[in-house]
Amino acid sequence: MKKRIVIVGGVAGGATCAARLRRLDENAEILILDRGQYVSFANCGLPYYVGNVIHDEAKLLLATPDLFRERFNIEVRTRSEVTGIDRGTSTVTVRDLETGREYIEPYDALVLSPGAAPVFPPLPGINLPGIFTLRTIPNSRQIREWIEHRKPRRAVVVGGGFIGLEMAENLAHRGISVTIVEMADQLMPPFDPEMAEYMREHLIARGVRLHLGDAVAGFERSGNDGLLVLTKAEVTFEADLVVFSIGVRPETEIARKAGLEIGEHGGICVDSRMRTSDSRIWAVGDAVEVRNRVTGSWELVPLAGPANRQGRVAAETICGRDTDFEGVFATAVCGSFGFTAALTGTTEKALRSAGITEFQSIYLHPNHHVPYYPGAKRMHMKLLFRTPDGLVLGAQAVGEAGVERRIDVIAAAMQMKATVYDLEAMELCYAPQYGAAKDPVNLAGMIAANVLRGDMELAPWRELDDTGAFLIDVREPHEFRRDSVDGAINIPLGQLRARLHELPRDREIWICCEVGQRAYYACRILVQHGLRVRNLSGGYQTYRVLNPVA
Ligand code: FAD
């Protein structure tokens, strides 16, 4: 008998599921219902359409209902909202948004991929003209029209997460001066704060105004067309355009009403086959909670890659295959003003808040390719690994070039349960314009492996003030004069062997340099002379971002 599969939501998760279903079952009847005007559009491209980097709206449409019909024999009904699920009769109620007509559609299998809606809190004045969110093509068209007709000079972007940063860049690309207001004390809340600090510095250097650690409290009209953005700390910003991007909330209304199990973060609960608490209903994408493969906790991870993979897993299960969705490492990347930030796995703050203490972190600041080849850019990396076995738990990297490649390599390695020893030994491609014979990924593995093998003990910068250690800085005098840590004594690496007598044997010695490399060499010298030494992780480069100047 023909199977009838109804899919709610026809973008990332839903469209992928439908296409995979057809490849596995030529006979199934497949119906996609989407309340929007479009299916299978590139939500991730919307900021760039606003910025006019993508000029042609049609380029955002990855597939149309006609293509679904002709190529896949899949029926797509747009402007068709599913308002209810009757699990007893295995039917959904659909409202035709053009005519208002309601009707019933039966299903053998139902897939929910309704996504997540931008958070839009009921703040005073939030519905004033000129305040936008960004989720759909019509949203981006409205912002474009506002820019073209009103010619805004100043924009406030509320929220300094990935979409906020992309919007800031794209609004600046339209010649608009941008202020970002972010409630947290840092940009890019998924990152550890010291890693996000590099992005803060970069945006300030590019002329973006940042207001961190304060939430927007409301909006007022100003003059004819302007807006005042008011914050809880009673700071006011003038704006001609506001983009609200403070996160998303899973769309679970129909799932809740149907009595499907909802998790503690508000997403639909699914098993590893993407099946909900009802064995004939699957759910995928931003609307579901997924298991974090490092911490084991259930989380909301609204990213396109997982949504696509989950759509595929749901299709395979519906067609009787044994395919599991293993969970996520939440691997993500964001670019803004020529600066890239990427991460995979967990962060130090996530580990600490999960109560996990058996880990260590290292910092490194390598060039993205060999320094002698023109155009080398320094990147900044942080690697987290489990102690004592060295399993890689997470990595973050930021910089102007080469960042996403290193995080992708580490993400792939983590999915194969790599340890830092695997990163150390990993064979990666190299030529001068692309990398180094010791790639940053290898270097991260080597530094971490040195720590685990006991070749180098690390000292955390955060404990510097409480330590009774003897602090030496092994950089050259001109570097030491430029900036140094209070109390440090300058003994350049080249003089260390000759000045051993200046070092105490009854105290631990903490060593710093610019990025940690010379301090490592110093550690090895001193350890072999019987001294107790530790390397201040990541050197002065890390110290600077741990102690940012506001
Ligand atoms: P969506 O793609 O949101 O699709 C859900 C669809 O369901 C919508 O069309 C909606 O209209 C429809 N729907 C909802 N309820 C109903 C209903 N009751 N009846 C009928 N239809 C319904 N992720 C990345 O990994 N990288 C990026 O760079 C990136 N950039 C992004 C930029 C923007 C501006 C946005 C908005 C998102 C971005 N994302 C990015 C996130 C990514 O787009 C989502 O994770 C992904 O689209 C989720 O897929 P989904 O199928 O769960 O939901």
Side-chain angles (χ1 to χ4, degrees), residues 5 31 52 87 92 96-97 111 193 213 226 237 260 302 305 334 346 407 463 474 479 493 506:
I5 303 156
L31 169 64
N52 215 20
R87 291 163 56 194
V92 292
D96 181 330
L97 297 176
V111 181
F237 298 96
L260 298 180
C334 172
T346 193
I407 290 300
E463 289 171 23
V474 294
E479 295 172 281
L493 181 65
D506 57 343

Short mmCIF file of all heavy atoms in Angstrom, two decimals, residues 5 31 52 87 92 96-97 111 193 213 226 237 260 302 305 334 346 407 463 474 479 493 506:
data_model
loop_
_atom_site.label_atom_id
_atom_site.label_comp_id
_atom_site.label_asym_id
_atom_site.label_seq_id
_atom_site.Cartn_x
_atom_site.Cartn_y
_atom_site.Cartn_z
N ILE A 5 2.90 10.47 3.43
CA ILE A 5 3.76 11.18 4.40
C ILE A 5 3.49 12.68 4.28
O ILE A 5 3.62 13.26 3.19
CB ILE A 5 5.24 10.87 4.13
CG1 ILE A 5 5.46 9.35 4.20
CG2 ILE A 5 6.13 11.58 5.13
CD1 ILE A 5 6.65 8.85 3.44
N LEU A 31 3.57 15.01 0.84
CA LEU A 31 2.94 16.34 0.80
C LEU A 31 3.68 17.26 1.76
O LEU A 31 3.82 16.94 2.95
CB LEU A 31 1.46 16.21 1.22
CG LEU A 31 0.71 17.51 1.49
CD1 LEU A 31 0.58 18.36 0.22
CD2 LEU A 31 -0.68 17.22 2.08
N ASN A 52 22.78 43.60 0.26
CA ASN A 52 22.95 43.72 -1.19
C ASN A 52 24.23 43.05 -1.70
O ASN A 52 24.70 43.35 -2.78
CB ASN A 52 22.90 45.19 -1.62
CG ASN A 52 22.23 45.34 -2.98
OD1 ASN A 52 21.50 44.44 -3.40
ND2 ASN A 52 22.50 46.43 -3.66
N ARG A 87 -4.03 12.92 16.69
CA ARG A 87 -3.25 11.67 16.70
C ARG A 87 -4.15 10.45 16.63
O ARG A 87 -3.75 9.40 16.12
CB ARG A 87 -2.36 11.63 17.93
CG ARG A 87 -1.26 12.68 17.85
CD ARG A 87 -0.63 12.93 19.20
NE ARG A 87 -0.10 11.74 19.80
CZ ARG A 87 0.27 11.63 21.07
NH1 ARG A 87 0.14 12.68 21.87
NH2 ARG A 87 0.75 10.51 21.54
N VAL A 92 -4.08 15.88 10.08
CA VAL A 92 -3.75 17.25 10.47
C VAL A 92 -4.82 18.18 9.91
O VAL A 92 -5.43 17.90 8.87
CB VAL A 92 -2.36 17.70 9.94
CG1 VAL A 92 -1.24 16.94 10.63
CG2 VAL A 92 -2.24 17.59 8.44
N ASP A 96 -5.89 27.15 4.77
CA ASP A 96 -5.40 27.82 3.57
C ASP A 96 -5.36 29.32 3.88
O ASP A 96 -6.41 29.95 4.06
CB ASP A 96 -6.36 27.50 2.40
CG ASP A 96 -5.90 28.13 1.11
OD1 ASP A 96 -5.26 29.21 1.17
OD2 ASP A 96 -6.19 27.58 0.04
N LEU A 97 -4.17 29.88 3.94
CA LEU A 97 -4.05 31.27 4.38
C LEU A 97 -4.51 32.26 3.31
O LEU A 97 -4.71 33.44 3.61
CB LEU A 97 -2.60 31.57 4.80
CG LEU A 97 -2.10 30.76 6.01
CD1 LEU A 97 -0.63 31.05 6.27
CD2 LEU A 97 -2.92 31.04 7.26
N VAL A 111 5.88 14.37 9.61
CA VAL A 111 7.19 14.93 9.98
C VAL A 111 6.99 16.41 10.29
O VAL A 111 6.48 17.17 9.45
CB VAL A 111 8.22 14.78 8.82
CG1 VAL A 111 9.57 15.36 9.25
CG2 VAL A 111 8.36 13.32 8.42
N PRO A 193 34.40 33.92 26.92
CA PRO A 193 34.48 35.37 26.78
C PRO A 193 35.81 35.89 26.22
O PRO A 193 35.84 36.84 25.44
CB PRO A 193 34.25 35.90 28.20
CG PRO A 193 34.19 34.72 29.09
CD PRO A 193 34.02 33.50 28.25
N GLY A 213 26.49 44.11 27.99
CA GLY A 213 26.12 44.00 29.40
C GLY A 213 24.92 44.84 29.77
O GLY A 213 24.75 45.22 30.93
N GLY A 226 12.51 58.83 13.22
CA GLY A 226 13.56 58.19 14.02
C GLY A 226 13.00 57.37 15.19
O GLY A 226 11.81 57.42 15.52
N PHE A 237 19.92 55.23 22.61
CA PHE A 237 20.56 55.29 21.29
C PHE A 237 19.55 55.79 20.27
O PHE A 237 18.41 55.35 20.28
CB PHE A 237 21.06 53.91 20.86
CG PHE A 237 22.11 53.35 21.76
CD1 PHE A 237 21.77 52.46 22.78
CD2 PHE A 237 23.44 53.73 21.62
CE1 PHE A 237 22.74 51.96 23.63
CE2 PHE A 237 24.42 53.22 22.46
CZ PHE A 237 24.07 52.34 23.48
N LEU A 260 2.45 15.98 22.38
CA LEU A 260 3.77 15.37 22.21
C LEU A 260 4.69 15.83 23.34
O LEU A 260 4.54 16.95 23.86
CB LEU A 260 4.37 15.76 20.85
CG LEU A 260 3.59 15.31 19.61
CD1 LEU A 260 4.29 15.78 18.33
CD2 LEU A 260 3.43 13.78 19.59
N PRO A 302 19.97 25.54 16.99
CA PRO A 302 19.31 25.95 15.73
C PRO A 302 20.31 26.23 14.62
O PRO A 302 20.65 27.37 14.33
CB PRO A 302 18.54 27.21 16.14
CG PRO A 302 19.30 27.76 17.30
CD PRO A 302 20.01 26.64 17.97
N GLY A 305 23.01 22.69 9.41
CA GLY A 305 23.62 21.37 9.17
C GLY A 305 22.87 20.27 9.91
O GLY A 305 22.42 19.29 9.30
N CYS A 334 30.93 32.02 12.04
CA CYS A 334 30.29 33.31 11.77
C CYS A 334 31.38 34.27 11.30
O CYS A 334 32.48 34.29 11.85
CB CYS A 334 29.67 33.83 13.06
SG CYS A 334 29.05 35.51 12.93
N THR A 346 32.43 21.63 23.07
CA THR A 346 32.01 22.42 24.22
C THR A 346 33.02 23.54 24.53
O THR A 346 34.10 23.59 23.97
CB THR A 346 31.81 21.50 25.44
OG1 THR A 346 31.12 22.21 26.44
CG2 THR A 346 33.13 20.98 25.96
N ILE A 407 38.85 24.55 12.51
CA ILE A 407 37.75 24.06 13.35
C ILE A 407 37.06 22.87 12.67
O ILE A 407 36.68 21.90 13.34
CB ILE A 407 36.77 25.21 13.66
CG1 ILE A 407 37.45 26.21 14.60
CG2 ILE A 407 35.47 24.70 14.26
CD1 ILE A 407 37.89 25.65 15.95
N GLU A 463 44.97 32.78 37.79
CA GLU A 463 45.45 32.60 39.16
C GLU A 463 46.70 33.42 39.46
O GLU A 463 47.29 33.32 40.53
CB GLU A 463 45.72 31.11 39.42
CG GLU A 463 44.43 30.33 39.51
CD GLU A 463 44.65 28.82 39.54
OE1 GLU A 463 45.74 28.39 39.92
OE2 GLU A 463 43.71 28.11 39.17
N VAL A 474 60.18 35.88 29.26
CA VAL A 474 61.38 35.54 28.48
C VAL A 474 61.39 36.19 27.10
O VAL A 474 62.11 35.77 26.21
CB VAL A 474 61.55 34.00 28.36
CG1 VAL A 474 61.85 33.39 29.72
CG2 VAL A 474 60.32 33.34 27.72
N GLU A 479 60.10 44.07 23.70
CA GLU A 479 58.73 43.57 23.87
C GLU A 479 58.26 43.78 25.30
O GLU A 479 57.12 44.16 25.56
CB GLU A 479 58.66 42.07 23.54
CG GLU A 479 58.97 41.72 22.09
CD GLU A 479 59.08 40.20 21.92
OE1 GLU A 479 60.14 39.63 22.27
OE2 GLU A 479 58.11 39.60 21.44
N LEU A 493 64.96 34.73 26.61
CA LEU A 493 65.26 33.30 26.47
C LEU A 493 66.74 33.04 26.22
O LEU A 493 67.34 32.15 26.82
CB LEU A 493 64.39 32.71 25.34
CG LEU A 493 64.56 31.22 25.08
CD1 LEU A 493 64.10 30.39 26.28
CD2 LEU A 493 63.78 30.80 23.84
N ASP A 506 63.40 27.57 45.75
CA ASP A 506 62.38 27.25 46.77
C ASP A 506 60.98 27.71 46.34
O ASP A 506 60.04 27.61 47.10
CB ASP A 506 62.77 27.92 48.09
CG ASP A 506 62.92 29.43 47.94
OD1 ASP A 506 63.06 29.90 46.77
OD2 ASP A 506 62.89 30.14 48.95
#
